[in-house]
Amino acid sequence: MARSSSIQLDSFELTLSEMENADLDALHALSLAVGWPHRAEDWQIVREMGRGVVARDAIGRVLGSAMWFDFAPDFTTIGMVITSPRLQMLGTGRWMMEHVLAQTGSRALGLNSTRAAKRLYQSLGFRAEKLDYQCNGEAISPPVVPLPPRTRLRALDQADLAEIAALDLAAYGAGRMPVLARLLNVSKGMALIRDGRIVAYSLCRRFGRGHVIGPVAATSDEEAIAVIRPHVADHAGSFLRIDTRQQTGAFPQFLAQSGLSVYDTVTSMSMRRAWLQGDGAQPSGGGPLIYGLASQALG
Ligand SMILES: CC(C)(COP(=O)(O)OP(=O)(O)OC[C@H]1O[C@@H](n2cnc3c(N)ncnc32)[C@H](O)[C@@H]1OP(=O)(O)O)[C@@H](O)C(=O)NCCC(=O)NCCS
């Protein structure tokens, strides 16, 4: 009997369940399938900081994910939104996002959208604000740059948490003390000190294929360069990444000179109220700006 060379299979039935019970290796396999660099350990860290759902098929395989991170009482970022490639364009992303939106109620929302996701988020009511430049590569020993006048650099330690959280709040516009506490545990941090106070800070941790610098808050390009330069020097010759909204000026120039060229862009989007403060603008001598994201999911 002649056998047909094709077969029509039923489409999947998916069920949403809490992410906290999902196997880390299954989450890792999901992000690998869409080409993301996260390690299982990187999933572990985001999972500790937020809530999430996974979409499972009838035999429990994880084929989709979405997370949200409640920062201040009224602000949430959304991230780790993934549909397994073989199920894309069938409505899974929209279905998971509708669930996330129902969970986040009337809170103000921010997210960093890939090109593939932009249409989905726009149709759900998100508005584009700024581009975020993912800069990465093999770090090059950075040029020598003098510190800004009357400043000195030192390493951060746990006792600095409250002070960097206050600086970060001024730059970010929403308090994220628990996120900073968790990241400080797994990061090397640098502080720029003027008159005994921290005026700029940076963290750097293992992530994906190498290390990532972020978050970074500073009032000027010179301060931001001062706090990231030691991380670039530490990782010269290996893979390093930073996500920044600064497109022009001394800071992105320094990144390019350090081997961290623009690899990709994502679009920062918000719903209900504008999210970003001065990010991406030229520093005006006013308050601090976010020069480096904690991650695309955390903002
Ligand atoms: C983005 C992503 C989650 C969308 O998931 P999905 O299950 O395919 O989404 P849906 O089927 O619900 O599609 C939702 C909308 O997005 C559109 N869309 C989906 N994939 C797209 C793509 N690659 N390019 C452009 N538009 C796309 C669909 O056409 C649909 O629009 P419509 O409702 O106006 O027709 C999925 O493509 C993915 O996992 N991509 C890789 C990881 C990623 O980029 N995640 C987003 C992080 S911010």
Side-chain angles (χ1 to χ4, degrees), residues 27-72:
L27 294 170
H28 185 209
L30 181 66
S31 56
L32 278 178
V34 293
W36 285 9
H38 300 66
R39 302 165 304 147
E41 294 90 327
D42 300 322
W43 268 103
Q44 173 67 33
I45 291 177
V46 284
R47 199 160 66 160
E48 284 170 21
M49 290 191 277
R51 295 176 57 197
V53 287
V54 289
R56 293 179 187 276
D57 70 3
I59 56 167
R61 287 176 298 193
V62 172
L63 296 170
S65 67
M67 292 196 73
W68 63 101
F69 305 88
D70 295 335
F71 288 132

Side-chain angles (χ1 to χ4, degrees), residues 142 147-148 151-161 163-165 167-168 180 183-194 197-205 212-219 222-235 240 242 251 254 289 291-292:
L147 290 182
T151 63
R152 67 183 174 86
L153 265 181
R154 71 162 168 81
L156 279 174
D157 64 39
Q158 296 292 335
D160 295 314
L161 177 61
E163 196 175 352
I164 63 165
L167 176 66
D168 191 81
L180 296 178
L183 293 182
L184 195 54
N185 262 332
V186 291
S187 302
K188 181 172 173 191
M190 296 304 302
L192 189 72
I193 313 291
R194 183 183 293 120
R197 289 182 39 242
I198 298 177
V199 293
Y201 87 92
S202 68
L203 298 183
C204 180
R205 66 183 188 280
V212 65
I213 301 175
V216 181
T219 306
E222 290 67 31
E223 289 179 1
I225 291 168
V227 286
I228 71 159
R229 191 183 176 283
H231 301 306
V232 179
D234 279 355
H235 298 293
L240 188 61
I242 182 168
F251 186 74
F254 177 82
L289 308 177
Y291 274 84

Side-chain angles (χ1 to χ4, degrees), residues 36 81-83 88-94 112 114 116-117 119 121:
W36 285 9
V81 179
I82 301 173
T83 300
Q88 288 178 8
M89 306 287 276
L90 295 173
T92 310
R94 179 176 301 280
N112 292 302
T114 58
R119 185 159 136 188
Y121 296 143

Side-chain angles (χ1 to χ4, degrees), residues 103-123:
Q103 295 292 313
T104 52
S106 60
R107 298 163 69 84
L109 303 172
L111 57 78
N112 292 302
S113 172
T114 58
R115 269 178 218 96
K118 202 169 166 190
R119 185 159 136 188
L120 169 63
Y121 296 143
Q122 264 165 345
S123 72

